[in-house]
Amino acid sequence: MTTTPTLAPDHRRPPRPAATRARRRPQARTLITTGTVAVVGYLVLVPLAYLLWGTFAGDQGFTAAGFRRAYLDDRHLPRLITDTALYVVGSTLVSVTAGTLMAYLYVRTDAPFKRLFFLSSIIPLALPSIAYVPAWIFLASPDIGLLNRMTEAVAGVAPFNVYGIWGMIFVQGVHATPLVFLLMAAAFRAMDASLEESAQTCGLGRLVILRRITLPLARPALVAATLIIAVQALESFEVPAMLGLHDGIYVFISKIYFLMQQYPIDYQATGALSLGLLVIATAGVVLSRRASRGAPQTITGKAYRPRRIRLGRMRGVVGALTLAYFTVCVFAPVLILIYASLLKTYRTPSLSTAGFTFDNYTAALTNATTLTAVRNSTLLGVGAAVVVMGLSAFASWLVVRSRSRFGAVVDALAFTPLVIPGLVLGLGLAFVYLRSPLPIYGTLWILLISYVTRFLPYGMRYANTAMHQVSAELEDSATVFGASWWTTMRRILLPLARPGLIAGGLYIVVVSFRELSSSILLYSPGTEVVGIRVFEQYQEGSLTAVATLGVLLCAFLGVLVTALFTLAGRLGVDLD
């Protein structure tokens, strides 16, 4: 008897339709936005988490011993706090007052020498702090300062001393003034002048109009400029290191650097000081946001053309002050830097050209360490620009275009590095990668991570502005015609936002060459950058070599930016 085999019932699920499988497959939009959130979160949160852990974790578990050693056991703490507050407040006051006054005179009045206003805002920005500070040492040092030699010859006194807290305030304030000028000039130019003209018609004086109408209208820009300058002063390393340590004056940033140079390094105490610095910077941001609330809107739909105020008899005084500012704060530092670079050993300027030589330039251009530093800075600058703007392009889409709840989170995370001083970020990264199995501590990779994190806020501002300028209708039209998210990004949004993204990349390349505060804790032999090389020359007392590197740095940045602008032009990108 034969039996017919029976088939067991098939409990397998029927195959899903292709459309269902496609829906469940992760899409490019999901993958890229998730990856963007993860990378931004990693860059910002991990160093801060490790900084907290390294500050509070001890052999016996949780401990606040670092805070006790940093704050309670330090008998110099009151002076440290006083000097830091004086330095930050004083330099911010100098920058904001001078920059705002220059911007008002430039935009709203018939002040003479308008071209000098523009040059005064551009030249100091191109001159990095690491070169600007030595220039003021040549000008106002008690020993070799040109200004002291001149007043000594005329009046027998040498009143100038760039070292110490007042010199720090002046140099930091003057160097940051162009940034305030650019911010405030844009605000005054965009301001509707009808209220001021109405007040003038009603018989109010100019000072009353300035105090009660103009400055309140400019309050958002004024608060933003004050915040940026204060945070910049708080994290500035070059000025306190070169002008403060000479007289034993410490601010938070130089105190952290001093502790990191001790052996064994007290990581808990340095972490405690870094957290104090971070709290101060964060408090400044919170206060500035509160101060900006309820600010009046200055741009309306009405067309207007502000009428320039006639200065009358004050025009001559303003012209004289403009000439004096340009001569002392812009022209003299650049000129004396060039002069010092042509000397083997520095001497007070005279009409004699004896002893002029190009040996310093020959030595700098043939020195292996200097060439390595230039190569490293170029690699890091270009690498950071590419990574930051690539990351910012997708992050800004998430912030500006998507309705995802992650947009606000990404925006807040990307802004956070702006209030983290470079030295604190460097310390956080050192905490991470000294304990990490990844062998990148002491390599260019850790510097690249530091640069990408530091300059992410700048990249986001450029990318957000570029994304805002592209109409959402183009994206909607592409979606209607069946284009995927990735196709829309690749063929519409990114090409149209390209000028803003390239401009942001250019800015990051320039500021990368000026970076010192985080590099000073993360570099090792062979990974020096230009800022480190200049600082090493300063510590060795080679002031003419410092001047030479400063001049070469300015020239190199000028050539680099010109080349990048030319390249962008050939690619059909208008950066204006």
Side-chain angles (χ1 to χ4, degrees):
M1 187 176 72
T2 60
T3 58
T4 304
T6 58
L7 296 175
D10 189 359
H11 297 292
R12 290 178 299 179
R13 294 179 181 177
R16 299 189 197 96
T20 305
R21 290 200 304 271
R23 279 199 300 271
R24 295 197 174 184
R25 189 185 307 149
Q27 296 181 345
R29 172 178 167 170
T30 306
L31 289 174
I32 291 177
T33 53
T34 305
T36 301
V37 174
V39 171
V40 172
Y42 175 82
L43 289 173
V44 177
L45 296 180
V46 170
L48 291 180
Y50 268 82
L51 181 64
L52 286 170
W53 180 74
T55 303
F56 289 105
D59 296 335
Q60 306 298 323
F62 178 86
T63 176
F67 284 88
R68 178 176 52 76
R69 292 194 295 276
Y71 293 102
L72 300 181
D73 294 349
D74 186 358
R75 59 188 176 88
H76 300 296
L77 181 67
R79 188 181 174 190
L80 176 71
I81 295 174
T82 305
D83 287 343
T84 303
L86 198 58
Y87 168 62
V88 173
V89 174
S91 59
T92 303
L93 202 58
V94 170
S95 303
V96 172
T97 304
T100 304
L101 183 60
M102 287 171 59
Y104 183 79
L105 292 171
Y106 179 70
V107 176
R108 289 305 184 88
T109 70
D110 62 344
F113 306 123
K114 291 290 182 72
R115 190 174 292 275
L116 290 187
F117 281 94
F118 181 74
L119 291 176
S120 299
S121 68
I122 295 300
I123 295 176
L125 282 181
L127 198 63
S129 295
I130 198 69
Y132 193 71
V133 179
W136 272 101
I137 293 175
F138 293 130
L139 285 173
S141 163
D143 304 319
I144 60 173
L146 172 63
L147 297 177
N148 282 322
R149 297 291 80 79
M150 292 170 65
T151 54
E152 213 168 31
V154 175
V157 294
F160 301 104
N161 183 5
V162 75
Y163 297 112
I165 191 70
W166 299 112
M168 291 163 56
I169 289 173
F170 175 78
V171 174
Q172 175 65 26
V174 168
H175 192 240
T177 294
L179 187 56
V180 179
F181 170 81
L182 293 175
L183 291 169
M184 294 308 298
F188 285 133
R189 200 176 287 116
M191 191 184 296
D192 187 350
S194 58
L195 287 175
E196 294 168 288
E197 291 171 359
S198 301
Q200 195 172 6
T201 305
C202 293
L204 293 182
R206 289 174 188 169
L207 289 179
V208 176
I209 294 173
L210 183 67
R211 181 170 55 86
R212 299 185 61 178
I213 296 177
T214 308
L215 290 181
L217 284 174
R219 192 175 70 189
L222 201 57
V223 170
T226 304
L227 170 66
I228 292 172
I229 299 302
V231 172
Q232 202 176 70
L234 202 60
E235 70 161 7
S236 165
F237 176 73
E238 297 89 336
V239 174
M242 290 184 171
L243 303 181
L245 296 183
H246 181 276
D247 281 4
I249 293 177
Y250 289 90
V251 294
F252 266 89
I253 209 80
S254 52
K255 184 72 174 179
I256 294 170
Y257 174 71
F258 173 77
L259 290 177
M260 288 294 290
Q261 301 304 306
Q262 307 298 306
Y263 184 81
I265 299 174
D266 189 345
Y267 285 109
Q268 289 183 334
T270 52
L273 284 175
S274 300
L275 288 177
L277 199 58
L278 189 59
V279 168
I280 294 170
T282 306
V285 173
V286 173
L287 289 175
S288 70
R289 287 189 174 178
R290 287 189 178 181
S292 298
R293 284 179 187 168
Q297 294 178 327
T298 58
I299 301 178
T300 66
K302 296 186 294 183
Y304 56 87
R305 185 183 181 85
R307 190 169 53 189
R308 293 188 186 279
I309 299 170
R310 294 184 179 278
L311 294 174
R313 286 179 294 180
M314 291 298 293
R315 196 166 184 269
V317 177
V318 170
L321 291 175
T322 304
L323 276 175
Y325 177 85
F326 180 79
T327 304
V328 174
C329 298
V330 180
F331 184 67
V334 173
L335 194 64
I336 201 157
L337 213 56
I338 296 173
Y339 168 80
S341 70
L342 296 173
L343 295 173
K344 197 67 180 174
T345 305
Y346 183 77
R347 68 167 189 269
T348 306
S350 66
L351 296 178
S352 172
T353 59
F356 278 10
T357 175
F358 287 99
D359 286 354
N360 289 331
Y361 289 94
T362 306
L365 294 174
T366 56
N367 184 280
T369 307
T370 303
L371 295 178
T372 301
V374 173
R375 185 202 63 187
N376 290 340
S377 289
T378 307
L379 289 174
L380 288 170
V382 175
V386 171
V387 175
V388 167
M389 296 317 300
L391 193 61
S392 298
F394 294 105
S396 67
W397 178 86
L398 203 59
V399 172
V400 175
R401 291 302 175 85
S402 79
R403 296 177 181 175
S404 168
R405 61 182 181 276
F406 292 114
V409 176
V410 169
D411 199 25
L413 284 175
F415 177 79
T416 302
L418 199 63
V419 300
I420 304 176
L423 208 65
V424 176
L425 178 64
L427 184 63
L429 288 173
F431 275 129
V432 175
Y433 293 104
L434 278 173
R435 295 168 171 81
S436 167
L438 288 175
I440 65 170
Y441 188 82
T443 67
L444 284 179
W445 290 107
I446 193 170
L447 288 171
L448 181 63
I449 292 173
S450 169
Y451 285 23
V452 169
T453 309
R454 284 211 68 193
F455 304 135
L456 186 60
Y458 304 111
M460 281 294 293
R461 296 308 114 186
Y462 277 97
N464 283 355
T465 304
M467 282 289 174
H468 274 298
Q469 289 174 343
V470 181
S471 172
E473 295 173 354
L474 296 173
E475 196 175 348
D476 296 339
S477 301
T479 305
V480 169
F481 282 99
S484 66
W485 174 84
W486 174 239
T487 302
T488 307
M489 282 291 289
R490 185 167 51 88
R491 302 188 63 177
I492 297 178
L493 284 178
L494 292 181
L496 291 175
R498 191 170 56 176
L501 299 178
I502 292 180
L506 281 175
Y507 180 77
I508 290 171
V509 169
V510 172
V511 294
S512 294
F513 270 85
R514 304 165 58 165
E515 213 286 333
L516 175 64
S517 54
S518 66
S519 307
I520 196 76
L521 294 184
L522 299 174
Y523 86 100
S524 61
T527 62
E528 297 94 343
V529 292
V530 171
I532 296 293
R533 183 63 182 149
V534 178
F535 190 64
E536 285 178 344
Q537 295 283 331
Y538 173 79
Q539 287 184 313
E540 293 170 4
S542 306
L543 289 180
T544 55
V546 170
T548 306
L549 288 175
V551 173
L552 287 174
L553 179 57
C554 294
F556 182 78
L557 284 178
V559 172
L560 183 66
V561 171
T562 304
L564 291 174
F565 263 89
T566 305
L567 179 64
R570 289 184 179 178
L571 292 174
V573 178
D574 184 9
L575 296 179
D576 293 335

